[in-house]
């Protein structure tokens, strides 16, 4: 069983920054360092979309084109936490941001919603113009 809790959302002006955190509690099974971790977001009236992902323990990352160069995903395996540093925020970044985890080994793209097994409850990010 795995629990994910996001934090760090809020209201920020365009051009500002926020850092989201996702604390992962692992009750049993594989350790956090082996998990694929991802961030997704969902704006009102829109489907949930991929934002960023970071592979197990390594440096491999993926980003949506819309956030490349502005957002950075990182992880601290000692703290079982993954972060999303968001810079140069735009009003179109406004959404509920979700943390997601996949403890398995698999070939499905890290950008695919269906790849992930566990999800957090989400944290609201609002960017004002």
């Amino acid at each position: 069983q795995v629990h994910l809790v996001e934090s760090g959302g809020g209201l920020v002006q365009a051009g500002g920054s926020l850092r989201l955190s996702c604390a992962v509690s692992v009750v049993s099974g594989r350790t956090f360092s082996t998990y694929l971790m991802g961030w997704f977001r969902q704006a009102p009236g829109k489907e949930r979309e991929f934002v960023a992902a970071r592979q197990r323990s390594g440096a491999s990352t993926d980003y949506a084109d819309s956030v490349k160069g502005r957002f950075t995903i990182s992880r601290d395996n000692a703290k079982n936490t993954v972060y999303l540093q968001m810079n140069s925020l735009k009003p179109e970044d406004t959404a509920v941001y979700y943390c997601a985890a996949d403890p398995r080994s698999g070939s499905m793209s890290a950008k695919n919603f269906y790849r992930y097994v566990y999800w957090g409850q989400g944290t609201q990010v609002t960017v004002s113009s």
Side-chain angles (χ1 to χ4, degrees), residues 29-89:
R30 303 177 70 175
T31 59
F32 171 75
S33 64
T34 67
Y35 290 13
L36 167 66
M37 297 300 302
W39 286 96
F40 287 74
R41 67 186 181 186
Q42 188 167 18
K46 295 187 177 181
E47 294 186 350
R48 194 169 300 190
E49 65 173 2
F50 170 77
V51 175
R54 191 171 184 107
Q55 296 291 341
R56 300 162 178 78
S57 296
S60 177
T61 55
D62 287 298
Y63 294 96
D65 289 342
S66 59
V67 307
K68 279 182 181 176
R70 300 188 298 122
F71 290 12
T72 302
I73 185 171
S74 61
R75 62 192 297 163
D76 185 336
N77 290 331
K79 295 183 178 180
N80 282 19
T81 301
V82 63
Y83 305 97
L84 185 68
Q85 178 67 44
M86 306 185 295
N87 299 328
S88 303
L89 283 161

Side-chain angles (χ1 to χ4, degrees), residues 83-122:
Y83 305 97
L84 185 68
Q85 178 67 44
M86 306 185 295
N87 299 328
S88 303
L89 283 161
K90 304 175 182 180
E92 51 263 44
D93 294 318
T94 295
V96 177
Y97 283 70
Y98 297 90
C99 177
D102 179 11
R104 309 164 300 177
S105 298
S107 59
M108 188 181 294
S109 170
K111 298 180 180 181
N112 192 321
F113 172 90
Y114 294 102
R115 172 73 189 267
Y116 297 86
V117 178
Y118 301 104
W119 293 82
Q121 83 289 349

